Amino acid sequence: AGCFSRTDNLPDQKHPCSEVTVARGVLSHIDFSVGNPGLSIHFYDVLLTGLGYNRYREPGAAWQEPQPTRAAWGVQYGDGTSFAIDLRPAGHNVTRTYNRFEPGPHHMAFSVDSDAEVDEVYRSMVKIDATVLDAPFQYGGQPGYGAYYYAVFFADPDGFKVEVVHL
C-alpha cells in the first residue's frame, strides 16, 4: 500500500505515510496540451470548479470568453502551497487520442472527503455528457487497492484518464 491507500489497520502495521516529512519539490502545476480547447475547457471547468478549484482570469485574447483557447484553475492549501492545472491548445496531432498505456502519465487522481462527493462529481460530469470509464464503485480490498477505495473514472475529451477518489 502506498500513501494513497488505507492500511488494514493491523496492530503491527504502520501506515507508510504516518511519518511527518518536509517535502521539497511539491507539485506546483501541470500543463495539458489539448486537441479541442473548447471541449476540454468545459470538461475541466465542471470537474475542477466542482472540486473547489478557482478558474484564473488572465489578460489576453486566448483567455477570454466567448471562445477561449487557454484556461487555468488553481487551489491554495492552508500551508500556503498551491497547485494549478493549465490547458493550452496542442501544436500538432490535435486529433490524436491519448493512450495511457504508452510512455507518459497513466492518469490523474483527485482525492475527496466522502463517497457523496465522488457521487456528486459523477452526477455533474454525466450532465455534460463526459465519458465515464467506470461509474462510482468500491474497489477496496481488491489487488492494488487499499482496504477502502471508492472511485469514479472519466476520460477527458482527449482520452486522458481522470479519477476522483475517496480513500
Side-chain angles (χ1 to χ4, degrees), residues 18-166:
S18 62
E19 298 294 323
V20 175
T21 60
V22 176
R24 295 184 320 168
V26 174
L27 191 59
S28 166
H29 64 276
I30 187 167
D31 289 4
F32 285 101
S33 297
V34 298
N36 185 322
L39 289 176
S40 293
I41 289 170
H42 184 59
F43 174 92
Y44 281 101
D45 198 48
V46 171
L47 175 71
L48 296 172
T49 58
L51 292 171
Y53 283 66
N54 294 307
R55 185 161 171 194
Y56 299 143
R57 302 295 177 186
E58 301 286 341
W63 297 85
Q64 305 304 312
E65 299 291 346
Q67 294 182 323
T69 58
R70 296 280 310 269
W73 298 262
V75 63
Q76 185 161 7
Y77 302 106
D79 65 357
T81 61
S82 61
F83 175 70
I85 295 176
D86 186 354
L87 302 183
R88 63 185 67 234
H92 59 282
N93 292 334
V94 297
T95 60
R96 180 181 71 91
T97 300
Y98 191 84
N99 185 339
R100 65 184 179 271
F101 299 105
E102 292 180 356
H106 182 274
H107 73 283
M108 168 173 63
F110 295 91
S111 181
V112 296
D113 293 330
S114 69
D115 292 0
E117 289 181 75
V118 172
D119 294 338
E120 182 180 332
V121 170
Y122 169 72
R123 287 189 299 272
S124 296
M125 299 307 287
V126 167
K127 283 182 185 174
I128 65 163
D129 293 323
T131 300
V132 178
L133 298 176
D134 295 295
F137 184 76
Q138 173 51 261
Y139 293 91
Q142 296 184 36
Y145 296 94
Y148 194 88
Y149 200 103
Y150 186 75
V152 62
F153 297 89
F154 306 99
D156 79 2
D158 291 301
F160 186 73
K161 186 176 182 178
V162 179
E163 173 184 1
V164 177
V165 60
H166 173 227

